[in-house]
Amino acid sequence: MKRLAAVVALLGLATATAACSGGSTNKSSGSGGGGGGLFTTIDVNRPGIDASGPANPWAPKGNSFIGYNAMKLGWVKNHLTDPNQFYPGIAASWEIAPDNSSVTIHIQPNAKWSDGKPVTAEDVKLSLGLASTTGSTAFAITPGAAGVAADVQVVDDKTVKVSQDMKNPSMKFARGVMDNWVVPAHVWSSLLPADFWDKLKASRSTGAEADKDREEILAIGQKVLAFAPPKDVSAGPFTLERVNPGEALLVKNKNFYNAAQVAPAQVKFLNYSGNEQIWNYLSAGKLDHSGFVAAPTDVMTRIKNAPGSQLIKGFSPVAVGLAFNQAKKPYDNVHVRRGLAYLIDRDQVTKVASPEGGIAAVTTSGIHQKPAQEWLGSELSTLEPYKHDVAKAEAEFKQAGLQKKNGKWTLADGTPWKFSMHAPAGFSDWISAQENIKSQLIENGVDAEVVTVADYPVYLEEIAAGKYDAGFWLMALGPAPYDIFQRLYGASNGWTNVAGKVAHSAPGKGGNWMGSAEEIDVQGVGKVNPGELTAKLNAATADQAKPIMLQLAKTANQDLPAIQLWDYVNTQFTNTSRFTGWPEQDSDLLRLPAGVWIQLGLIKAKQ
Amino acid sequence: MSVLLESSSTSATMRRNFWAGVWRVMKRKPSRMVGVVLILGFVFMGVFGPMFYPAQLDRDPNAITRPPSWEHWLGTDDQGRDVIALVVTGSRYVLLAALVTAVITVVVGAGIGLFSGFKRGRWDNVLMRLTDMKLTIPGLPLLLVLSTVWKFSSAVQMGLVLGLLSWGGVARAVRSQTLSLRERGFIEAARGLGLSTTHIVSKELLPSMAPYIAMNMLIAVTGGVYAQVGLFFLGVLPYESNNWGQMLNTAVFRSGALTVPSALGFLIGPLLAILLLTLAIVLVVDAMDEIFNPRLREE
């Protein structure tokens, strides 16, 4: 499940969005707080420490730890509804133009690299250039992509202005800019050729010359991914001291702009290869902090009983659903999907699969329950809750023409029906959930099976190829409205948004494995094209988004491309034996790594 | 006619003497009887066990991964199902796959070993090079690759693949034995009489090798159980709940059996089954060794 946690975290971070807000300035001085010893943790996003990995934040197996020795311009809060709220990182403050056309970034005035050199606007510009070679969001090189940075301008030594290409604007632009690594130009500058920025500009047009430029930029991207700096030079609170297959040791960076507030003198990342190792670390009280790891109830009780052990919970902008492949019969029939929704007792599924890390979805709207209240208000209660109801399920199945023979449901023509669910091996909560659903369905006459797939990439590949009847699918990826619904009405369901134009692929083509109807008649709304509505959210303000969100929620609730099973709960494990000052319950900081808490001065050594 | 009657009576006497010998050997150490009883128990469990339970085992979402109790002697699994029921219903796949593995291992291994050792020359070269190649193929990595394309949903498929991956050792050992036997007088006499290769291999060599082959077959059963349980435990094979290996995987990786005592019964159930099966086979092999090797008999 930690693999799932990693996926959830990465997808959460990847949900870039935009709007407008101002930043706050983080003062570099402050009263005490140092004097702490060793802070022990694990990196839930990446099992297995690679001792040969470079201190490179772009390297997939690098020894750059987010918030510790890897720094971003700002740290996205993943607020319930506003995607453009950040905590300061390298940027002390920022201004977003009211029309989203630019974001002006002010670097921390006292920010220095660990080798003593100051962090300058040139460092930021070079870092954004490096992001373009590997990147997406604001630094995509696809012609016509939404929310792309057209220009990066050094205003002065501590200020950078990044302008959006307004031909195809995105609300996510500021987030796309702020959510980027910053590395020292004096270590990394050799990677970008002198004419890089001209090449980048040219690459965003069309034609053979632009194709060539794009290829060259992508080739630089490969070098960026593989680059190994001779020494870890960081502007974060720590630098990498040494790493071996068992652990990575980081030491405090005395040049960090907020060093006076950084309590731990050292940070140790312990290696692990499975959840059970983390359970043992936690129940032995070894870890000061760990991100969410799925654990059965008894294990969780044991962890809670460890001296100093504490669980902090908050909002997690993601839910899990059982999504249907409507290109396969009988899932093309909405009554079959609804019948299954009535048959599955979501409370029981969540109790078995994710008792601590999830809350059974109250209804299936496509939005995580918590922001759903913000977006839909009182309308949320008008949606069909699909409470467990066998009689209603039978009525739906009958309406779909299914037949019940000897207590078993068959297809309309009398042939056997087996509902097959897939899950990647190692995603323990998904498998537990499917096993429970299987039992529930079999008890009610629907033959069902659970099949595991070798690993997550294979799962994604096969699900995209339309091989499964149904599969578990992460959805409701907040906080950007577009990101919430693009998992249901985006590329995987046939709608692609290229250069602001929405195109629809037939089921089975262009990655469309869900195969919903292109137009759906929704009660109380009329005919809607959910893909086009979702695409509109990309550039809509919060007020403009609200009515669209309601229409899409009603569509998802009636048409059920997926049954929303449970909303994830952000569960963090901490230990108060050695450190105090942890974030409060429900804090939006819980959606950021503990390294960010430390650099913001939250964690204090226990006196 | 009288000759015929005499010969059949001789063979009947031999058979009687053989079974009397078997009984003596079994009686000498009661543990051997225990082994036979256990094997019969496992056979019964594999063939009839699942019939005592419903196709869909009863579950209780309010009693997930419970420790042993009067109601559930080995506790419950992560869906609230009885662990003993899971061990029994899961035995069929495991035992059938192991049996298929053993049969293939022994038939292919012994066939190639006998033929190769007896024929020598070019056939021997070709078959032994083939065996060497087979022995160099790393079984586990190959299975890991195969598991991505093959679902192993049936026990026969599983046994077939494991069997085809494990005959090499038996072929080598049987060939060595054959090389030694073929130099004995009775085989030379058979060759001198111009008897066919098939006759010599099947009627002269095979009976002498039978005890050795039979013991190998029993040992191959344990090998088959370990291999498949190991693969399911590692989680590289598609999920199938009614399997001892999958039970171990779920107990350790999903229910924290190594972290909390409440899930220990879930771990012990399949482990106990594997332990008893191995013990049973070891005890029976011990008896077979003495039955077929007169020098070991303490007459």
Side-chain angles (χ1 to χ4, degrees):
Chain A
M1 168 56 207
K2 91 271 156 189
R3 276 189 267 177
L4 178 58
V7 173
V8 169
L10 288 173
L11 283 170
L13 290 173
T15 55
T17 328
C20 42
S21 82
S24 63
T25 305
N26 199 298
K27 299 274 189 311
S28 61
S29 60
S31 61
L38 178 68
F39 184 89
T40 310
T41 185
I42 52 154
D43 186 355
V44 281
N45 293 321
R46 194 180 38 189
I49 286 176
D50 184 352
S52 59
N56 170 349
W58 285 284
K61 287 189 171 177
N63 288 306
S64 256
F65 300 93
I66 305 174
Y68 293 88
N69 64 335
M71 287 294 281
K72 288 189 171 181
L73 277 168
W75 304 105
V76 291
K77 287 186 181 177
N78 275 321
H79 179 265
L80 279 183
T81 52
D82 181 1
N84 276 344
Q85 293 195 20
F86 316 97
Y87 283 102
I90 289 290
S93 63
W94 49 91
E95 290 117 34
I96 301 166
D99 63 349
N100 266 310
S101 60
S102 69
V103 54
T104 306
I105 298 153
H106 303 285
I107 298 167
Q108 299 279 1
N110 298 321
K112 280 183 186 164
W113 297 104
S114 52
D115 59 7
K117 292 185 177 154
V119 178
T120 65
E122 283 303 333
D123 291 322
V124 174
K125 185 174 179 182
L126 179 104
S127 302
L128 299 184
L130 292 170
S132 304
T133 67
T134 60
S136 54
T137 64
F139 302 97
I141 52 169
T142 318
V148 163
D151 189 35
V152 180
Q153 192 191 337
V154 172
V155 178
D156 61 39
D157 202 34
K158 289 284 182 184
T159 314
V160 179
K161 185 178 179 187
V162 189
S163 310
Q164 182 175 196
D165 178 359
M166 293 303 278
K167 277 184 209 151
N168 186 14
S170 166
M171 294 299 290
K172 294 187 275 182
F173 173 68
R175 181 168 168 144
V177 173
M178 296 291 286
D179 192 20
N180 270 297
W181 306 114
V182 182
V183 291
H186 59 279
V187 177
W188 290 73
S189 60
S190 61
L191 290 170
L192 292 190
D195 60 345
F196 173 76
W197 293 100
D198 297 330
K199 243 188 226 314
L200 182 63
K201 202 164 256 180
S203 74
R204 291 197 172 121
S205 58
T206 48
E209 196 61 33
D211 288 345
K212 197 169 149 263
D213 287 334
R214 272 198 294 281
E215 270 172 34
E216 280 180 38
I217 288 170
L218 290 173
I220 300 170
Q222 292 305 310
K223 284 186 196 162
V224 171
L225 293 179
F227 183 65
K231 189 171 180 267
D232 183 27
V233 178
S234 167
F238 300 94
T239 54
L240 184 70
E241 176 74 7
R242 62 165 190 269
V243 57
N244 62 46
E247 62 187 41
L249 182 74
L250 289 86
V251 293
K252 187 169 168 176
N253 171 15
K254 292 193 170 57
N255 288 316
F256 177 59
Y257 68 87
N258 200 21
Q261 296 283 353
V262 173
Q266 293 179 319
V267 171
K268 194 189 270 181
F269 279 89
L270 299 184
N271 187 35
Y272 65 93
S273 56
N275 283 1
E276 58 296 342
Q277 252 172 304
I278 306 173
W279 299 338
N280 287 332
Y281 287 153
L282 287 167
S283 24
K286 270 190 181 177
L287 297 180
D288 293 300
H289 170 258
S290 161
F292 176 61
V293 181
T297 312
D298 289 330
V299 174
M300 194 63 93
T301 308
R302 192 180 162 124
I303 292 171
K304 282 178 189 166
N305 289 340
S309 189
Q310 189 191 14
L311 237 65
I312 317 177
K313 294 189 176 193
F315 162 63
S316 171
V318 64
V320 69
L322 178 61
F324 295 99
N325 179 354
Q326 294 177 45
K328 286 194 171 189
K329 282 190 186 301
Y331 314 105
D332 57 335
N333 191 316
V334 69
H335 297 292
V336 173
R337 305 196 292 274
R338 283 190 207 154
L340 288 167
Y342 281 121
L343 267 194
I344 298 170
D345 180 347
R346 297 191 296 272
D347 286 311
Q348 193 185 109
V349 174
T350 312
K351 189 175 179 181
V352 170
S354 196
E356 293 279 349
I359 290 180
V362 174
T363 180
T364 176
S365 66
I367 313 176
H368 187 290
Q369 175 72 10
K370 227 172 174 181
Q373 276 157 349
E374 303 273 332
W375 286 113
L376 310 177
S378 59
E379 293 277 3
L380 180 62
S381 58
T382 65
L383 299 178
E384 171 60 50
Y386 292 102
K387 273 257 167 225
H388 177 58
D389 190 327
V390 177
K392 278 188 181 172
E394 298 217 340
E396 291 286 353
F397 285 159
K398 277 180 189 155
Q399 213 170 332
L402 301 181
Q403 296 179 36
K404 201 168 191 183
K405 283 183 184 169
N406 305 322
K408 271 196 169 184
W409 288 100
T410 65
L411 298 178
D413 58 4
T415 52
W417 169 34
K418 185 166 226 170
F419 181 54
S420 181
M421 290 169 287
H422 284 73
F427 280 33
S428 56
D429 59 345
W430 286 16
I431 299 171
S432 278
Q434 293 191 354
E435 184 67 17
N436 182 262
I437 292 172
K438 174 182 133 181
S439 302
Q440 291 192 32
L441 294 182
I442 290 176
E443 278 162 11
N444 288 294
V446 178
D447 195 10
E449 65 171 358
V450 179
V451 182
T452 52
V453 188
D455 61 14
Y456 193 56
V458 174
Y459 177 78
L460 291 180
E461 208 175 283
E462 293 195 343
I463 204 169
K467 288 188 180 175
Y468 307 155
D469 290 359
F472 270 29
W473 193 243
L474 292 175
M475 55 195 279
L477 298 179
Y482 172 76
D483 293 329
I484 290 174
F485 275 109
Q486 59 87 22
R487 295 286 295 178
L488 289 185
Y489 299 116
S492 49
N493 207 350
W495 286 279
T496 43
N497 185 355
V498 181
K501 284 186 181 159
V502 181
H504 185 263
S505 318
K509 288 188 179 160
N512 177 4
W513 70 267
M514 293 164 98
S516 285
E518 203 176 343
E519 211 171 54
I520 298 162
D521 197 356
V522 183
Q523 206 177 4
V525 178
K527 284 198 171 175
V528 297
N529 181 321
E532 283 186 357
L533 274 182
T534 303
K536 273 187 192 169
L537 291 172
N538 210 10
T541 61
D543 284 341
Q544 290 166 337
K546 269 192 176 177
I548 303 176
M549 296 293 277
L550 179 59
Q551 289 180 37
L552 284 169
K554 284 186 171 176
T555 309
N557 184 251
Q558 179 193 301
D559 195 53
L560 287 184
I563 302 169
Q564 193 164 336
L565 292 169
W566 70 80
D567 297 324
Y568 276 104
V569 176
N570 188 337
T571 307
Q572 305 276 324
F573 300 86
T574 60
N575 195 299
T576 56
S577 304
R578 294 165 292 273
F579 292 93
T580 58
W582 301 99
E584 299 292 318
Q585 302 283 345
D586 273 327
S587 167
D588 50 18
L589 275 165
L590 295 174
R591 297 187 285 280
L592 289 165
V596 176
W597 310 346
I598 292 174
Q599 64 173 267
L600 293 175
L602 258 79
I603 311 298
K604 305 286 175 203
K606 197 167 183 182
Q607 298 301 317
Chain B
M1 190 61 190
S2 67
V3 175
L4 272 177
L5 280 173
E6 197 177 298
S7 83
S8 63
S9 128
T10 311
S11 70
T13 313
M14 278 172 69
R15 269 203 300 276
R16 262 200 311 278
N17 287 343
F18 174 77
W19 287 114
V22 167
W23 181 239
R24 265 201 309 280
V25 168
M26 299 303 289
K27 268 199 312 189
R28 195 168 9 252
K29 286 187 189 168
S31 60
R32 293 167 175 170
M33 297 292 277
V34 173
V36 172
V37 170
L38 280 174
I39 285 202
L40 290 175
F42 274 105
V43 170
F44 181 82
M45 182 159 94
V47 176
F48 302 105
M51 296 176 190
F52 292 102
Y53 293 98
Q56 174 77 357
L57 291 177
D58 291 336
R59 71 202 161 79
D60 182 359
N62 295 315
I64 296 167
T65 333
R66 292 293 92 206
S69 62
W70 280 116
E71 202 183 342
H72 305 286
W73 291 4
L74 283 176
T76 58
D77 78 341
D78 68 329
Q79 302 286 330
R81 293 173 297 203
D82 183 59
V83 168
I84 293 178
L86 285 167
V87 170
V88 173
T89 52
S91 65
R92 187 177 277 177
Y93 183 105
V94 176
L95 295 176
L96 181 59
L99 187 69
V100 174
T101 305
V103 168
I104 292 173
T105 304
V106 163
V107 169
V108 177
I112 289 181
L114 276 170
F115 190 72
S116 180
F118 179 73
K119 278 301 234 184
R120 304 286 306 269
R122 203 178 301 160
W123 276 107
D124 187 26
N125 273 334
V126 171
L127 289 172
M128 280 306 108
R129 292 303 76 76
L130 194 74
T131 308
D132 291 343
M133 272 169 60
K134 154 70 210 69
L135 285 169
T136 56
I137 296 173
L140 185 67
L142 181 67
L143 275 165
L144 295 184
V145 173
L146 278 178
S147 66
T148 61
V149 289
W150 210 348
K151 300 301 173 200
F152 295 114
S153 50
S154 88
V156 176
Q157 273 182 6
M158 178 90 250
L160 188 74
V161 173
L162 288 176
L164 290 176
L165 284 172
S166 55
W167 56 264
V170 176
R172 271 278 175 200
V174 168
R175 175 180 171 270
S176 305
Q177 288 278 77
T178 313
L179 283 177
S180 134
L181 278 177
R182 77 190 295 277
E183 305 305 328
R184 303 259 179 95
F186 71 102
I187 301 290
E188 275 192 26
R191 282 215 305 265
L193 285 171
L195 295 174
S196 71
T197 304
T198 324
H199 178 90
I200 298 174
V201 168
S202 61
K203 303 276 180 183
E204 308 295 339
L205 279 175
L206 193 58
S208 312
M209 302 284 294
Y212 181 76
I213 291 171
M215 283 192 279
N216 261 298
M217 180 149 165
L218 275 180
I219 292 162
V221 169
T222 55
V225 170
Y226 294 155
Q228 57 170 315
V229 164
L231 286 167
F232 277 104
F233 172 70
L234 290 174
V236 295
L237 291 185
Y239 180 70
E240 173 53 61
S241 58
N242 283 359
N243 182 295
W244 298 344
Q246 182 58 47
M247 283 177 76
L248 291 173
N249 175 292
T250 309
V252 172
F253 300 117
R254 238 159 65 193
S255 303
L258 298 181
T259 308
V260 288
S262 60
L264 214 55
F266 192 11
L267 187 69
I268 287 172
L271 280 181
L272 204 61
I274 295 166
L275 180 80
L276 286 176
L277 179 66
T278 311
L279 181 72
I281 285 173
V282 167
L283 293 176
V284 172
V285 166
D286 169 52
M288 282 172 77
D289 205 16
E290 192 175 320
I291 291 165
F292 292 117
N293 192 345
R295 272 172 296 177
L296 290 177
R297 282 189 212 157
E298 297 159 20
E299 297 286 358

